[in-house]
Every structure is written in structure tokens, then in C-alpha cells.
Amino acid sequence: QVQLVESGGGSVQAGGSLTLSCVATRSFYTMAWFRQVPGKEREGVASATEIGNAYYVDSVKGRFTASRDNAKNTLYLQMNSLKPEDTAMYYCAAEHKGGSWFDLSRYNYCGQGTQVTVSS
């Protein structure tokens, strides 16, 4: 059974940094990060492939970096210069079925999430 387990969330002040991790029970070519705040749909944040290609939503470009450790089946999200609007539950997704990288319905698996709270 496939599992995606996120960790690394927490509370931080604006301008601070956090690194999220997502460990999968097997390898996937494409993995991605999504985030959600109450009352809104999940938003695609970043995706990364096994060969190192990464894509970002405009609001996090230059601040967030998605990376992979293929030997550990792990996806990371290094988040710098955090802003209060980055506050959300962050989810890991895997096994992209084609189409938009940032459409959660295009992934077969999703984790339970890790909370990130950024205070001003």
C-alpha cells in the first residue's frame, strides 16, 4: 500500500524558514506539494521530478525550492522568506497522470498533510 508521510511543519515568524519532507513507500517520477487554507481549494505549490526538473507557482518562486532524494524516496520543500499568506496545511502528492502539474486530481496519491503557520 502506498503511503506519503509529510513532516517538518511548524510555527515560524515572517521572514523565517522551514523545510518540509515527504517520504514515500516507493519511488515516483513526479511528486508535488500542495497547500490548503480553510474554505479554499488546495493550491499547487511546487513539483519535482526524479531527474531534477522543478516547477513553482508564481507566488513562491525565488523563495521555495523543491528537491528530491531518490535513494530515500523523499521530496523536500525548502521554504525561505516565509510570509503570513504561506500559512496553510501542506500536502504531498505523487504519481502524476499527465496534464497540469498543479491539478491535484492529476495525482493518484496524497498524504495527510503538515501544518505551516507564519506569524507577522
Side-chain angles (χ1 to χ4, degrees):
Q1 182 176 354
V2 172
Q3 283 190 313
L4 303 174
V5 180
E6 303 97 333
S7 62
S11 297
V12 64
Q13 288 192 326
S17 299
L18 283 173
T19 300
L20 306 183
S21 300
C22 171
V23 180
T25 50
R26 69 170 179 86
S27 64
F28 295 98
Y29 182 76
T30 300
M31 298 178 73
W33 289 102
F34 288 77
R35 64 186 180 188
Q36 187 175 28
V37 297
K40 292 189 176 181
E41 292 189 356
R42 291 185 189 185
E43 171 194 37
V45 176
S47 67
T49 68
E50 281 187 332
I51 61 172
N53 297 320
Y55 305 92
Y56 303 93
V57 68
D58 286 346
S59 60
V60 307
K61 284 181 181 176
R63 300 189 298 122
F64 291 10
T65 302
S67 61
R68 301 278 299 269
D69 184 334
N70 297 327
K72 297 181 179 179
N73 294 336
T74 300
L75 170 70
Y76 301 99
L77 186 67
Q78 174 67 44
M79 305 186 293
N80 298 326
S81 302
L82 282 161
K83 304 176 181 180
E85 51 263 44
D86 294 318
T87 295
M89 183 71 79
Y90 283 71
Y91 299 88
C92 174
E95 194 163 86
H96 187 240
K97 298 183 286 186
S100 170
W101 301 107
F102 298 126
D103 180 351
L104 186 57
S105 70
R106 305 308 304 164
Y107 292 83
N108 283 327
Y109 304 105
C110 188
Q112 295 299 306
T114 185
Q115 177 68 39
V116 171
T117 302
V118 184
S119 58
S120 57

